[in-house]
PDB file of all heavy atoms in Angstrom:
ATOM      1  N   LEU R 150      19.000   5.342  -4.853  1.00 97.00           N
ATOM      2  CA  LEU R 150      18.702   4.156  -4.050  1.00 97.00           C
ATOM      3  C   LEU R 150      19.657   4.055  -2.868  1.00 97.00           C
ATOM      4  O   LEU R 150      20.856   4.323  -3.005  1.00 97.00           O
ATOM      5  CB  LEU R 150      18.823   2.892  -4.901  1.00 97.00           C
ATOM      6  CG  LEU R 150      17.908   2.818  -6.117  1.00 97.00           C
ATOM      7  CD1 LEU R 150      18.260   1.611  -6.969  1.00 97.00           C
ATOM      8  CD2 LEU R 150      16.454   2.771  -5.683  1.00 97.00           C
ATOM      9  N   ARG R 151      19.128   3.656  -1.746  1.00 95.00           N
ATOM     10  CA  ARG R 151      19.947   3.369  -0.565  1.00 95.00           C
ATOM     11  C   ARG R 151      20.246   1.881  -0.580  1.00 95.00           C
ATOM     12  O   ARG R 151      19.390   1.064  -0.267  1.00 95.00           O
ATOM     13  CB  ARG R 151      19.201   3.737   0.704  1.00 95.00           C
ATOM     14  CG  ARG R 151      19.984   3.360   1.953  1.00 95.00           C
ATOM     15  CD  ARG R 151      19.161   3.599   3.191  1.00 95.00           C
ATOM     16  NE  ARG R 151      19.774   4.680   3.927  1.00 95.00           N
ATOM     17  CZ  ARG R 151      19.164   5.412   4.821  1.00 95.00           C
ATOM     18  NH1 ARG R 151      17.903   5.204   5.104  1.00 95.00           N
ATOM     19  NH2 ARG R 151      19.792   6.364   5.463  1.00 95.00           N
ATOM     20  N   LEU R 152      21.448   1.569  -0.994  1.00 92.00           N
ATOM     21  CA  LEU R 152      21.903   0.184  -1.052  1.00 92.00           C
ATOM     22  C   LEU R 152      23.120   0.049  -0.147  1.00 92.00           C
ATOM     23  O   LEU R 152      23.796   1.045   0.151  1.00 92.00           O
ATOM     24  CB  LEU R 152      22.249  -0.201  -2.490  1.00 92.00           C
ATOM     25  CG  LEU R 152      21.049  -0.302  -3.429  1.00 92.00           C
ATOM     26  CD1 LEU R 152      21.499  -0.401  -4.875  1.00 92.00           C
ATOM     27  CD2 LEU R 152      20.184  -1.499  -3.060  1.00 92.00           C
ATOM     28  N   PRO R 153      23.415  -1.164   0.278  1.00 84.00           N
ATOM     29  CA  PRO R 153      24.583  -1.331   1.151  1.00 84.00           C
ATOM     30  C   PRO R 153      25.826  -0.711   0.522  1.00 84.00           C
ATOM     31  O   PRO R 153      26.081  -0.878  -0.674  1.00 84.00           O
ATOM     32  CB  PRO R 153      24.725  -2.857   1.264  1.00 84.00           C
ATOM     33  CG  PRO R 153      23.358  -3.390   0.974  1.00 84.00           C
ATOM     34  CD  PRO R 153      22.752  -2.431  -0.018  1.00 84.00           C
ATOM     35  N   SER R 154      26.581   0.019   1.335  1.00 68.00           N
ATOM     36  CA  SER R 154      27.788   0.685   0.855  1.00 68.00           C
ATOM     37  C   SER R 154      28.892  -0.323   0.582  1.00 68.00           C
ATOM     38  O   SER R 154      28.944  -1.383   1.187  1.00 68.00           O
ATOM     39  CB  SER R 154      28.287   1.693   1.886  1.00 68.00           C
ATOM     40  OG  SER R 154      27.341   2.691   2.083  1.00 68.00           O
ATOM     41  N   HIS R 155      29.735   0.056  -0.328  1.00 52.00           N
ATOM     42  CA  HIS R 155      30.924  -0.738  -0.602  1.00 52.00           C
ATOM     43  C   HIS R 155      32.001  -0.318   0.390  1.00 52.00           C
ATOM     44  O   HIS R 155      32.050   0.833   0.803  1.00 52.00           O
ATOM     45  CB  HIS R 155      31.388  -0.503  -2.039  1.00 52.00           C
ATOM     46  CG  HIS R 155      30.338  -0.856  -3.051  1.00 52.00           C
ATOM     47  ND1 HIS R 155      29.983  -2.153  -3.320  1.00 52.00           N
ATOM     48  CD2 HIS R 155      29.541  -0.079  -3.814  1.00 52.00           C
ATOM     49  CE1 HIS R 155      29.011  -2.155  -4.233  1.00 52.00           C
ATOM     50  NE2 HIS R 155      28.730  -0.911  -4.542  1.00 52.00           N
ATOM     51  N   PRO R 156      32.903  -1.226   0.768  1.00 51.00           N
ATOM     52  CA  PRO R 156      33.919  -0.891   1.761  1.00 51.00           C
ATOM     53  C   PRO R 156      34.765   0.334   1.397  1.00 51.00           C
ATOM     54  O   PRO R 156      35.223   1.041   2.268  1.00 51.00           O
ATOM     55  CB  PRO R 156      34.797  -2.144   1.813  1.00 51.00           C
ATOM     56  CG  PRO R 156      33.956  -3.236   1.251  1.00 51.00           C
ATOM     57  CD  PRO R 156      32.986  -2.595   0.309  1.00 51.00           C
ATOM     58  N   GLN R 157      34.943   0.615   0.112  1.00 46.00           N
ATOM     59  CA  GLN R 157      35.762   1.754  -0.272  1.00 46.00           C
ATOM     60  C   GLN R 157      35.014   3.081  -0.180  1.00 46.00           C
ATOM     61  O   GLN R 157      35.614   4.138  -0.304  1.00 46.00           O
ATOM     62  CB  GLN R 157      36.345   1.557  -1.682  1.00 46.00           C
ATOM     63  CG  GLN R 157      35.334   1.619  -2.804  1.00 46.00           C
ATOM     64  CD  GLN R 157      34.720   0.258  -3.139  1.00 46.00           C
ATOM     65  OE1 GLN R 157      34.719  -0.649  -2.327  1.00 46.00           O
ATOM     66  NE2 GLN R 157      34.213   0.118  -4.339  1.00 46.00           N
ATOM     67  N   ASP R 158      33.693   3.042   0.025  1.00 51.00           N
ATOM     68  CA  ASP R 158      32.933   4.284   0.141  1.00 51.00           C
ATOM     69  C   ASP R 158      33.338   5.026   1.410  1.00 51.00           C
ATOM     70  O   ASP R 158      33.557   4.412   2.450  1.00 51.00           O
ATOM     71  CB  ASP R 158      31.426   4.010   0.193  1.00 51.00           C
ATOM     72  CG  ASP R 158      30.878   3.556  -1.153  1.00 51.00           C
ATOM     73  OD1 ASP R 158      31.585   3.711  -2.160  1.00 51.00           O
ATOM     74  OD2 ASP R 158      29.749   3.033  -1.173  1.00 51.00           O
ATOM     75  N   PRO R 159      33.416   6.361   1.345  1.00 55.00           N
ATOM     76  CA  PRO R 159      33.748   7.109   2.559  1.00 55.00           C
ATOM     77  C   PRO R 159      32.617   6.987   3.584  1.00 55.00           C
ATOM     78  O   PRO R 159      31.444   6.914   3.218  1.00 55.00           O
ATOM     79  CB  PRO R 159      33.890   8.555   2.061  1.00 55.00           C
ATOM     80  CG  PRO R 159      33.138   8.603   0.778  1.00 55.00           C
ATOM     81  CD  PRO R 159      33.188   7.214   0.194  1.00 55.00           C
ATOM     82  N   PRO R 160      32.954   6.953   4.877  1.00 56.00           N
ATOM     83  CA  PRO R 160      31.904   6.865   5.888  1.00 56.00           C
ATOM     84  C   PRO R 160      31.039   8.120   5.870  1.00 56.00           C
ATOM     85  O   PRO R 160      31.515   9.212   5.567  1.00 56.00           O
ATOM     86  CB  PRO R 160      32.671   6.735   7.202  1.00 56.00           C
ATOM     87  CG  PRO R 160      34.048   7.205   6.902  1.00 56.00           C
ATOM     88  CD  PRO R 160      34.279   7.028   5.434  1.00 56.00           C
ATOM     89  N   ARG R 161      29.756   7.961   6.197  1.00 53.00           N
ATOM     90  CA  ARG R 161      28.823   9.083   6.209  1.00 53.00           C
ATOM     91  C   ARG R 161      28.191   9.186   7.580  1.00 53.00           C
ATOM     92  O   ARG R 161      28.056   8.189   8.281  1.00 53.00           O
ATOM     93  CB  ARG R 161      27.735   8.869   5.163  1.00 53.00           C
ATOM     94  CG  ARG R 161      28.307   8.804   3.771  1.00 53.00           C
ATOM     95  CD  ARG R 161      27.232   8.442   2.780  1.00 53.00           C
ATOM     96  NE  ARG R 161      27.881   8.100   1.529  1.00 53.00           N
ATOM     97  CZ  ARG R 161      27.449   8.502   0.366  1.00 53.00           C
ATOM     98  NH1 ARG R 161      26.390   9.225   0.267  1.00 53.00           N
ATOM     99  NH2 ARG R 161      28.083   8.158  -0.725  1.00 53.00           N
ATOM    100  N   PRO R 162      27.773  10.384   7.947  1.00 53.00           N
ATOM    101  CA  PRO R 162      27.101  10.522   9.243  1.00 53.00           C
ATOM    102  C   PRO R 162      25.847   9.657   9.279  1.00 53.00           C
ATOM    103  O   PRO R 162      25.112   9.583   8.286  1.00 53.00           O
ATOM    104  CB  PRO R 162      26.735  12.006   9.301  1.00 53.00           C
ATOM    105  CG  PRO R 162      27.561  12.666   8.245  1.00 53.00           C
ATOM    106  CD  PRO R 162      27.908  11.627   7.233  1.00 53.00           C
ATOM    107  N   PRO R 163      25.569   8.994  10.388  1.00 50.00           N
ATOM    108  CA  PRO R 163      24.430   8.082  10.445  1.00 50.00           C
ATOM    109  C   PRO R 163      23.070   8.758  10.308  1.00 50.00           C
ATOM    110  O   PRO R 163      22.105   8.121   9.957  1.00 50.00           O
ATOM    111  CB  PRO R 163      24.570   7.425  11.819  1.00 50.00           C
ATOM    112  CG  PRO R 163      25.437   8.344  12.600  1.00 50.00           C
ATOM    113  CD  PRO R 163      26.310   9.058  11.626  1.00 50.00           C
TER     114      PRO R 163
END
Side-chain angles (χ1 to χ4, degrees):
L150 301 172
R151 176 186 247 159
L152 291 168
S154 297
H155 301 288
Q157 69 270 22
D158 288 346
R161 298 174 193 223

